[in-house]
Amino acid sequence: MKNLSCALPHKVNNWETILWRKVIQNVNRLQRRIAKAVKEGRLAKAKALMYLVTKSFYAKLLAVLRVSTNKGGSTPGVDNIVWTNGEEKLKAARKLKSRGYKSKPLRRIYIPKKNGKMRPLSIPVISDRAMQTLHKIALDPMAESLADKNSYGFRPRRSCNDAVAGCFQILCRKISPQWIFEADIKACFDNIRHDWILKNIPVNKTILNEWLNAGYIEKKRLFPTEKGTPQGGTISPMIMNMVLDGLETEINKKFPRWKNKKVNFIRYADDFVITAISKEVITNEIIPLVTEFLMERGLELSPEKSKITNISDGFNFLSQNVRKFRGKLIIRPSKEAVQSFKDKIRKIINENRGIPAHALIRILNPVIRGWSNYHKGICAKRIFNRLGAFIYWQLKRWAKYQHGNKNRWWIFHRYFHDNHFTDQRITKNGTENHRLYRIGYVPIRYHVKVKAEANPFLPEFDEYFLNRTKRRADLAKECKQITTFMTSKASKNSRVTLRRVSLKSA
């Protein structure tokens, strides 16, 4: 009966009994056909298939699922509506129709940036987010097939680590380019020209115009949006990528390989780096080309963040520092990223004084594990050890504050007796042992960059991505085994040391 309900979309009447594997398979089949049509140059066929996806009930179910289960699923728009149960989600999927569609204004909020300024964020209502996600599902295969090869931001199966690994491949050799242009676009999401988007983005023009001209509400006032795309919209990152796609092609046309000017291009979202053989090439040829390309789209380079540097001085890219020391390229976490991590750990510990140690461990572990997993693909072992010592002293102060009437030996045996910050919790099912994640024991495993031409929507790359996923799973398992071994070894050594100290004192 379940198979029948999923095979006939109009008979689906229960959100909990939907077979999501069947839904995803049907949507993926249409996406593959779109990617194949784009590869063969049949753009009219691809647009017809994209229209079919936007009318598919399977795609509508998947769009509602993604919107309601992501991190912003509980964040309402101006109507204060969120989908909390299956009946509301199923009803919303049936209401996703293009005919008579009207977009509602956006809710404007501000979030802090690293430099102390505030970044405007416009949040659509959840029904508009679902409609954007539906068209994003249809547009994704075409955008991926036409994207720049060395673009890594907001694309499936690509990450920041791939962009950093690309920098390593370009700059690691002795004959590599020595000059880098660090480019950043000023307010990229907020300044894109609407007429360029409507002319070049293959989405239903009526619906796209509704999103672009919806306006935003701030302090109970409605403001128009004459340019830009809402930064809180689900389809906005893809639109931004498609606006910037083509820059690498223009650079390759102007600087082909036979000219030997060592010009390379790597982009993540609106941040990109361009290498060259000399500073004059960047100043006289590259910057005018980039400026002209961006001006057509209503964008401009940020004079504050865009600069020219030599590889011996180093540059920061995606929270990592890339620099050559005596001819050897070393990539490490940037000083700003390390300081930000320290401030976050210090703030968590200071704000959670008075809670049990096992509760503090549950708060700290995801933060430490996430930061170390992001940076474990570069030369970060020494920094990991220093941060481990920093966390140890912060926790020691926390324990001293918790037990002001106890001496340091009591605190050591209570929390650090096996060379780890540990705690035990007695529950109905027995004793639970909680142990802090040791960042100093995380092994370094260098990241393998994804192939530039790899497309997850084409069947010829299925085996490549499958092997890549297996390799990453095996690597994660190996890192976990090494961390567990180092933890047990350190615990054993600490017990032996304690036993020797006790024998000497006796």
Side-chain angles (χ1 to χ4, degrees), residues 424-456:
Q424 290 185 348
R425 181 188 180 192
I426 300 175
T427 62
K428 296 180 181 179
N429 300 325
T431 304
E432 293 181 356
N433 292 319
H434 297 265
R435 175 170 290 175
L436 187 72
Y437 188 79
R438 288 296 296 269
I439 191 173
Y441 291 164
V442 177
I444 300 301
R445 292 293 182 269
Y446 295 115
H447 182 79
V448 179
K449 189 181 81 71
V450 67
K451 288 182 179 180
E453 65 277 3
N455 188 341

Side-chain angles (χ1 to χ4, degrees), residues 356-423:
H358 60 82
L360 180 62
I361 290 173
R362 284 201 299 268
I363 298 173
L364 287 175
N365 273 351
V367 178
I368 299 173
R369 185 182 290 109
W371 197 87
S372 61
N373 286 340
Y374 179 78
H375 292 285
K376 71 180 180 182
I378 56 177
C379 304
K381 190 64 178 178
R382 185 178 296 178
I383 293 178
F384 283 176
N385 291 331
R386 292 176 181 174
L387 290 176
F390 168 80
I391 294 172
Y392 168 79
W393 286 107
Q394 291 293 319
L395 291 172
K396 193 173 181 181
R397 293 189 185 97
W398 176 89
K400 184 62 180 176
Y401 180 88
Q402 294 284 97
H403 310 281
N405 59 340
K406 302 293 184 181
N407 58 36
R408 58 177 179 171
W409 295 109
W410 186 93
I411 292 174
F412 178 80
H413 286 277
R414 173 68 176 81
Y415 294 110
F416 303 96
H417 65 278
D418 61 347
N419 205 27
H420 289 72
F421 185 71
T422 58
D423 190 29

Side-chain angles (χ1 to χ4, degrees), residues 113-269:
K113 299 170 67 174
K114 291 182 180 180
N115 56 6
K117 297 181 180 179
M118 303 299 289
R119 183 193 304 275
L121 191 67
S122 302
I123 303 176
V125 297
I126 194 166
S127 58
D128 289 342
R129 274 178 273 165
M131 182 64 78
Q132 291 182 16
T133 305
L134 175 63
H135 285 79
K136 179 179 180 294
I137 291 172
L139 184 61
D140 206 2
M142 177 177 285
E144 187 68 20
S145 302
L146 302 176
D148 290 339
K149 292 184 178 180
N150 288 298
S151 167
Y152 300 96
F154 304 112
R155 292 179 61 185
R157 302 297 187 99
R158 300 193 178 212
S159 64
C160 299
N161 295 327
D162 292 312
V164 176
C167 291
F168 180 83
Q169 289 184 359
I170 293 171
L171 301 169
C172 66
R173 299 175 181 84
K174 291 184 180 180
I175 60 172
S176 297
Q178 301 295 314
W179 290 93
I180 295 94
F181 175 50
E182 306 172 61
D184 185 86
I185 301 174
K186 183 178 180 181
C188 181
F189 283 90
D190 300 329
N191 293 324
I192 304 174
R193 286 171 47 187
H194 283 181
D195 56 346
W196 195 96
I197 296 176
L198 291 170
K199 183 179 178 181
N200 296 277
I201 303 298
V203 178
N204 187 317
K205 306 304 179 184
T206 304
I207 296 178
L208 187 57
N209 192 57
E210 284 287 328
W211 295 335
L212 297 176
N213 298 296
Y216 64 92
I217 292 179
E218 184 180 3
K219 295 181 180 180
K220 298 182 180 181
R221 290 182 59 191
L222 178 63
F223 296 88
T225 50
E226 298 177 353
K227 58 181 180 179
T229 177
Q231 199 160 345
T234 57
I235 201 173
S236 297
M238 181 177 292
I239 292 177
M240 184 270 300
N241 264 339
M242 297 187 72
V243 168
L244 297 180
D245 284 336
L247 179 57
E248 183 178 8
T249 305
E250 294 295 327
I251 291 175
N252 291 337
K253 286 181 181 178
K254 189 174 180 63
F255 303 98
R257 289 185 177 273
W258 59 270
K259 281 194 174 182
N260 196 25
K261 292 190 177 181
K262 300 180 180 179
V263 177
N264 300 282
F265 174 85
I266 293 178
R267 178 171 68 86
Y268 187 91

Side-chain angles (χ1 to χ4, degrees), residues 302-360:
S302 173
E304 300 175 357
K305 299 180 180 179
S306 301
K307 53 186 177 180
I308 304 172
T309 55
N310 190 280
I311 190 61
S312 59
D313 299 326
F315 64 96
N316 292 338
F317 185 56
L318 301 177
S319 300
Q320 295 177 352
N321 181 260
V322 184
R323 185 179 176 185
K324 267 191 177 180
F325 295 87
R326 298 179 181 177
K328 184 176 181 179
L329 185 69
I330 297 179
I331 303 178
R332 300 180 297 189
S334 64
K335 292 182 180 179
E336 293 80 5
V338 174
Q339 188 60 44
S340 176
F341 178 72
K342 285 184 177 181
D343 294 340
K344 190 172 185 178
I345 294 295
R346 188 184 292 113
K347 182 179 179 182
I348 291 174
I349 294 175
N350 291 338
E351 289 181 350
N352 291 281
R353 289 180 173 179
I355 68 173
H358 60 82
L360 180 62

